Amino acid sequence: EPEVTQTPSHQVTQMGQEVILRCVPISNHLYFYWYRQILGQKVEFLVSFYNNEISEKSEIFDDQFSVERPDGSNFTLKIRSTKLEDSAMYFCASSETFGQGGYGYTFGSGTRLTVV
Amino acid sequence: ELKVEQNPLFLSMQEGKNYTIYCNYSTTSDRLYWYRQDPGKSLESLFVLLSNGAVKQEGRLMASLDTKARLSTLHITAAVHDLSATYFCAVDLSYNTDKLIFGTGTRLQVFP
């Protein structure tokens, strides 16, 4: 069964450093998402991405965050200057079509980001 | 703003018992999803409920959706230890967006 692959599985970084979280969506999927989950809390939407553009973003997704699809296979989330409160599990997801909502989602295994 | 609330937040139950987790949401939506999450792991899709009155069952879990009441339930029958996990419901607004709004989660612990 096709999978969404995320790397690394765990990243530790110092406050103020830049991090890039990587995701390889399912190959025929066109819509990409990032969600985050602070430890013990609910999962929160960050951003959706289609056709090389952000289609929607949440209030959490401020100027410190950016996304791109640099090479047609990877989908990345960059945090420019990490803060302690960015420590969370970050999930990538992809879907084949728009309009199916969560019905079409496949979530990746997540990257645990720890900012120290 | 769409809010999705679950209760209880934490549920400790004995093996063999039945219980129901509730998911309430604050605005109109026809699509609701249940996910399971084991500690430190990803989100496993359990059920997709796409219309009012939808009921789905898989093993000891059964989910239902009442869009008029804006309520979904996840019923656990004769719980076993393997069901111990955190369960999330999630809703999407069904128009012009595919983002999911997740509930607060219910941490289920099943003990012998």
Side-chain angles (χ1 to χ4, degrees), chain B residues 3-23:
Chain B
K3 289 186 180 176
V4 183
E5 294 181 342
Q6 290 179 235
N7 70 84
L9 297 182
F10 182 73
L11 176 56
S12 181
M13 60 190 295
Q14 197 170 17
E15 280 189 330
K17 299 292 187 183
N18 304 331
Y19 207 83
T20 300
I21 299 170
Y22 297 88
C23 173

Side-chain angles (χ1 to χ4, degrees), chain A residues 33-91:
Chain A
Y33 311 86
W34 283 101
Y35 286 77
R36 81 168 185 192
Q37 183 183 32
I38 294 171
L39 185 64
Q41 298 188 23
K42 67 179 180 180
V43 180
E44 300 173 290
F45 170 79
L46 290 178
V47 66
S48 58
F49 189 85
Y50 168 70
N51 200 24
N52 284 318
E53 288 185 345
I54 290 174
S55 42
E56 189 171 2
K57 61 182 180 179
S58 72
E59 291 176 354
I60 302 167
F61 194 88
D62 62 20
D63 291 345
Q64 293 297 314
F65 291 89
S66 62
V67 289
E68 65 174 359
R69 193 157 155 80
D71 57 11
S73 60
N74 289 284
F75 177 51
T76 61
L77 174 69
K78 182 194 290 185
I79 309 175
R80 236 176 298 281
S81 177
T82 49
K83 307 183 186 98
L84 294 175
E85 53 264 37
D86 293 327
S87 296
M89 180 78 97
Y90 289 81
F91 293 107

Side-chain angles (χ1 to χ4, degrees), chain A residues 6 31 33 35 37 40-45 56-58 89 91 95 97-105 107-110 112, chain B residues 2-4 31 33 35 37 39-43 45 48 50 56 86 88 92 94-105:
Chain A
Q6 289 186 242
Y31 299 86
Y33 311 86
Y35 286 77
Q37 183 183 32
Q41 298 188 23
K42 67 179 180 180
V43 180
E44 300 173 290
F45 170 79
E56 189 171 2
K57 61 182 180 179
S58 72
M89 180 78 97
F91 293 107
S95 66
T97 59
F98 183 79
Q100 289 191 324
Y103 182 70
Y105 270 50
F107 279 95
S109 53
R112 178 163 296 287
Chain B
L2 173 61
K3 289 186 180 176
V4 183
R31 304 197 292 210
Y33 315 87
Y35 290 91
Q37 185 182 39
K41 302 293 184 183
S42 188
L43 298 159
S45 178
V48 177
L50 298 177
K56 296 217 174 156
T86 299
F88 289 96
D92 75 58
S94 303
Y95 62 89
N96 207 30
T97 176
D98 270 355
K99 75 178 181 188
L100 296 180
I101 308 297
F102 281 80
T104 43

Side-chain angles (χ1 to χ4, degrees), chain B residues 53-85:
Chain B
V55 177
K56 296 217 174 156
Q57 181 159 7
E58 181 74 34
R60 300 174 188 275
L61 300 178
M62 183 173 71
S64 66
L65 178 62
D66 180 344
T67 58
K68 291 177 183 174
R70 300 177 185 170
L71 170 70
S72 179
T73 61
L74 181 65
H75 186 73
I76 303 156
T77 301
V80 293
H81 179 71
D82 284 352
L83 290 179
S84 298

